[in-house]
Amino acid sequence: MKVKEIIEILEAEVICGEDLSEKEVHTACGSDMMSDVLAYVKDQAVLLSGLVNNQVVRTAEMMDMKCIVFVRGKKPDESMIELANASDMVLLSTKKPMFTACGLLYSHGLRGGNG
Amino acid sequence: MSNSVKLHYDVSGEDFTRAGEASGNIKKVLKEIGCDADLIRNVSIATYEAEINMVIHANGGVVDVDIFPDHIDIVLADQGPGIKDVELAMKEGYSTAPDNVRSLGFGAGMGLPNIKKYADEMKIETEVGVGTTIRLKFYIK
């Protein structure tokens, strides 16, 4: 699915990287624990998280992820947006909670991958 | 040996939000050099985990990178409290990180095991009350 479909499905607000919304993504993971993302995730392009700090963007950067969705209406701050822009990453914010956001994306064909 | 690319970073222990700057920069340099994507990711994850450890446990430290034609050496040295029991620290799930670090998304006890997983070679030199040095080697295939 394309990033722009994620935006539609989750009724998400685009925080930055709107010009990258045509990017294709196939797998995602949902976690508030960055330690686990770094340890267990492989080749996932989308990170859903309710945690909001610079290290969420840094973690996604190290994992070569393309898009972060902040759930429960969480919003990243300026320094996170700066980091994301430097790594060509899309930041989205949805009001939906983690479980619902993951379920909606899964039911539209996004998968968890091998992580 | 003289034709290696050398990088040096001072990691501040004061500001958790800045943790990862060194790793981010190393990643950028490796990309510019044109390293393989898998290698870049392995180096990035291992270095980032070690950098986070430095900030959480040791009030910062220094990172030195040496990029050779066939391998990359990375040395992360701190003057923190040292690791009392390295074998225990290498166990998945074992963590001495304080609760405030967990609320930031770290401290699951996966750092050291994860560094070992992503690096081709890992050596830990540590002394309680003196500090810890982690030496990582990555082969360029």
Side-chain angles (χ1 to χ4, degrees):
Chain A
M1 105 178 23
K2 286 184 173 166
V3 170
K4 70 174 183 189
E5 290 170 68
I6 296 178
I7 297 167
E8 287 166 19
I9 294 163
L10 299 182
E11 296 165 25
E13 180 188 339
V14 183
I15 309 290
C16 68
E18 191 153 23
D19 54 321
L20 305 166
S21 63
E22 289 292 327
K23 275 196 182 177
E24 275 289 338
V25 291
H26 301 286
T27 52
C29 78
S31 181
D32 289 353
M33 185 50 106
M34 295 306 109
S35 288
D36 285 346
V37 175
L38 289 160
Y40 298 113
V41 170
K42 200 173 184 267
D43 293 326
Q44 270 77 355
V46 183
L47 172 63
L48 293 99
S49 187
L51 185 72
V52 184
N53 64 42
N54 282 21
Q55 302 314 328
V56 179
V57 185
R58 282 284 184 206
T59 298
E61 178 195 352
M62 300 306 158
M63 308 296 289
D64 299 318
M65 288 171 161
K66 294 180 179 138
C67 173
I68 304 175
V69 182
F70 295 100
V71 297
R72 304 191 289 273
K74 302 281 177 77
K75 297 266 175 73
D77 65 14
E78 271 308 312
S79 64
M80 296 170 69
I81 294 168
E82 231 174 83
L83 275 178
N85 280 332
S87 305
D88 291 332
M89 209 183 289
V90 184
L91 297 187
L92 306 177
S93 174
T94 178
K95 290 203 169 70
K96 298 186 191 308
M98 177 72 102
F99 184 79
T100 307
C102 291
L104 280 169
L105 294 180
Y106 191 92
S107 68
H108 281 81
L110 204 61
R111 289 293 176 260
N114 301 318
Chain B
M1 297 293 268
S2 58
N3 59 353
S4 75
V5 175
K6 287 182 196 296
L7 309 168
H8 174 86
Y9 302 94
D10 293 310
V11 176
S12 161
E14 303 294 318
D15 188 358
F16 184 76
T17 61
R18 289 183 59 198
E21 275 186 10
S23 309
N25 271 303
I26 293 166
K27 178 167 190 166
K28 209 173 131 204
V29 171
L30 295 182
K31 259 190 187 167
E32 281 165 8
I33 291 175
C35 288
D36 169 75
D38 282 339
L39 172 72
I40 294 176
R41 188 190 294 182
N42 290 349
V43 170
S44 301
I45 295 172
T47 314
Y48 180 55
E49 289 271 24
E51 191 181 346
I52 290 279
N53 272 350
M54 227 176 213
V55 175
I56 292 174
H57 296 288
N59 197 31
V62 291
V63 183
D64 282 286
V65 183
D66 248 331
I67 307 167
F68 295 93
D70 61 342
H71 73 277
I72 301 169
D73 284 331
I74 302 181
V75 181
L76 301 106
D78 68 58
Q79 297 180 323
I83 304 168
K84 276 191 198 123
D85 187 336
V86 175
E87 205 181 318
L88 191 59
M90 287 303 298
K91 256 178 81 173
E92 289 187 6
Y94 178 80
S95 175
T96 57
D99 283 347
N100 68 322
V101 166
R102 285 200 188 87
S103 68
L104 294 166
F106 289 89
M110 296 306 299
L112 285 176
N114 210 26
I115 296 168
K116 193 177 180 192
K117 184 169 116 190
Y118 285 102
D120 290 313
E121 285 178 32
M122 171 190 187
K123 277 182 199 150
I124 302 177
E125 295 154 16
T126 186
E127 198 179 332
V128 173
V130 178
T132 300
T133 298
I134 294 185
R135 295 177 192 279
L136 306 177
K137 198 184 273 288
F138 299 85
Y139 294 112
I140 300 172
K141 280 132 203 160

